[in-house]
Amino acid sequence: MDPDDWGYFLSRTFDEWQKRDVGHVLVNVFETAVVQMMGRAAQTCVTAEFCGKALAVEHDGEVYSCDHFVYPEWSLGNIRATHLGEMAFSARQQRFGYGKRDSLPAYCRQCRHLKLCWGECPKNRFVRSPDGEPGLNYLCSGIRRFHDHAAPVLRQFARQSA
């Protein structure tokens, strides 16, 4: 997927949603942006400051930090041997969760949309920022395009909902 096409798609879909569907059709990415514009926490992990609240449990009982990170290096243990709560609140899982915010490149930390995006999902952070720093989200330009486009309406929705 081309990142700019993603931003175009989100923007056009947002336009249709805000004209016809607000209050009738839930589009989580848009609803979450309104909530975040109100200064509240994200409703989804993708746009939250921290990750790690959606563990993945495989059929064999193996538990992973996230369903996007079901790889041996992200295993927290097995529910046959360790209580799920112990894994969910472990120091390792906390490092995983805070790593989302703490690993952002300076380009993201300086972005006017930081509190609406938080670098999106770390699984997509595999390109370099314009200044060469690793860890930029592949979809960044599209996400910025969407937030530049939608911000005035999102602010209006946030004021009306406050």
Side-chain angles (χ1 to χ4, degrees):
M1 167 187 335
D2 179 85
D4 292 322
D5 288 347
W6 176 239
Y8 177 82
F9 169 78
L10 286 174
S11 297
R12 297 294 73 79
T13 305
F14 178 81
D15 291 345
E16 290 299 312
W17 176 78
Q18 66 100 12
K19 287 178 192 168
R20 302 175 186 182
D21 297 324
V22 173
H24 302 289
V25 176
L26 171 70
V27 180
N28 209 0
V29 69
F30 305 150
E31 300 275 349
T32 294
V34 172
V35 167
Q36 287 177 278
M37 195 63 88
M38 294 170 68
R40 297 189 180 144
Q43 299 170 331
T44 62
C45 61
V46 174
T47 59
E49 183 175 4
F50 308 106
C51 344
K53 296 179 183 177
L55 301 176
V57 181
E58 290 291 292
H59 70 283
D60 62 356
E62 205 65 20
V63 178
Y64 297 89
S65 293
C66 170
D67 66 338
H68 295 143
F69 290 88
V70 180
Y71 303 105
E73 62 268 25
W74 298 107
S75 173
L76 297 172
N78 194 292
I79 57 173
R80 294 183 186 138
T82 308
H83 188 275
L84 186 60
E86 188 178 326
M87 290 183 274
F89 294 101
S90 68
R92 183 171 185 192
Q93 183 64 1
Q94 288 178 26
R95 282 190 304 276
F96 174 83
Y98 288 120
K100 179 179 181 191
R101 177 200 61 197
D102 297 345
S103 65
L104 284 171
Y107 185 74
C108 293
R109 291 190 307 269
Q110 297 164 4
C111 178
R112 67 183 168 276
H113 303 302
L114 173 65
K115 293 186 177 185
L116 298 173
C117 170
W118 290 106
E120 211 250 358
C121 183
K123 75 175 172 64
N124 293 327
R125 295 183 186 174
F126 53 83
V127 298
R128 293 187 177 275
S129 66
D131 62 355
E133 191 176 357
L136 183 66
N137 192 297
Y138 169 71
L139 298 170
C140 177
S141 63
I143 293 168
R144 281 177 178 243
R145 179 180 183 167
F146 164 67
H147 285 297
D148 285 342
H149 174 80
V153 175
L154 291 172
R155 274 193 288 280
Q156 179 183 358
F157 286 158
R159 280 193 301 271
Q160 291 170 349
S161 298

